[in-house]
Amino acid sequence: MKAILALFAYVASASAFTPMARPVRSLKMSAHTDQNSRRQFLVTSAAATVAATFTTAPAAYAKGPKNSVYFSNVKDGDTVPRKFTYQFEVTGYELAPAAAGLKEASGHHHLVIDGSKAFVKKGEAIPFDATHKHFGKAQTEGELELEPGKHKITLQFANAFHQSYGKELAATITVNVKDA
């Protein structure tokens, strides 16, 4: 990044250089001087554009309050049938299959059914067991079949290595499962 900016600065300063000319006796600008001014303006503008492009993070990698996960078809306290398809969303991060490999600000969903905690700690690997359901193919929905009664379900986002992004990318709801 710094090398690119240094290169643009060098090009901008080099293109602004004009060979020593005879003293100017009038205030008129020659076509040559006007052309150099335009060139300097264009190079400087290009350098500023490149700098802005490389220093501004795309929305998919943005860090801040807009990062979240949520259930899109059920909310806390809802009653659902024993067999129900839960739909999930993520904002601020890119949904990607685990097989795509580790990539900053990307990952996939996990469901934690009746877990002991409200979220999986940041950096902690999500286990492969009956309580933790992995959606490593970047699925946006998953079907669960639960026994009748109250159940706590946590939607947790994690990277390709199944390492949790923590509380920031977790959402917990309680559902009441009714017998069909």
Side-chain angles (χ1 to χ4, degrees), residues 33-74:
T33 306
D34 191 38
Q35 188 177 21
N36 280 339
S37 295
R38 279 193 219 125
R39 184 180 305 132
Q40 183 179 10
F41 172 76
L42 291 173
V43 170
T44 304
S45 297
T49 301
V50 168
T53 301
F54 285 115
T55 57
T56 305
Y61 300 104
K63 304 283 185 244
K66 293 188 182 206
N67 300 335
S68 66
V69 293
Y70 58 94
F71 293 94
S72 58
N73 68 333
V74 64

Side-chain angles (χ1 to χ4, degrees), residues 94-139:
E94 180 183 347
L95 187 61
L102 194 59
K103 184 176 164 188
E104 184 181 347
S106 71
H108 59 277
H109 295 287
H110 300 79
L111 290 180
V112 183
I113 299 101
D114 295 323
S116 59
K117 300 179 268 179
F119 61 93
V120 179
K121 288 182 185 177
K122 188 172 186 170
E124 188 176 307
I126 298 173
F128 285 86
D129 59 24
T131 303
H132 301 84
K133 302 294 180 190
H134 293 252
F135 298 92
K137 294 181 182 175
Q139 300 99 310

Side-chain angles (χ1 to χ4, degrees), residues 8-18 39:
F8 273 109
Y10 173 76
V11 171
S13 65
S15 66
F17 175 78
T18 54
R39 184 180 305 132

Side-chain angles (χ1 to χ4, degrees), residues 82-104:
R82 285 183 70 155
K83 195 180 238 184
F84 185 74
T85 300
Y86 295 84
Q87 297 174 347
F88 14 92
E89 303 281 339
V90 61
T91 58
Y93 276 62
E94 180 183 347
L95 187 61
L102 194 59
K103 184 176 164 188
E104 184 181 347

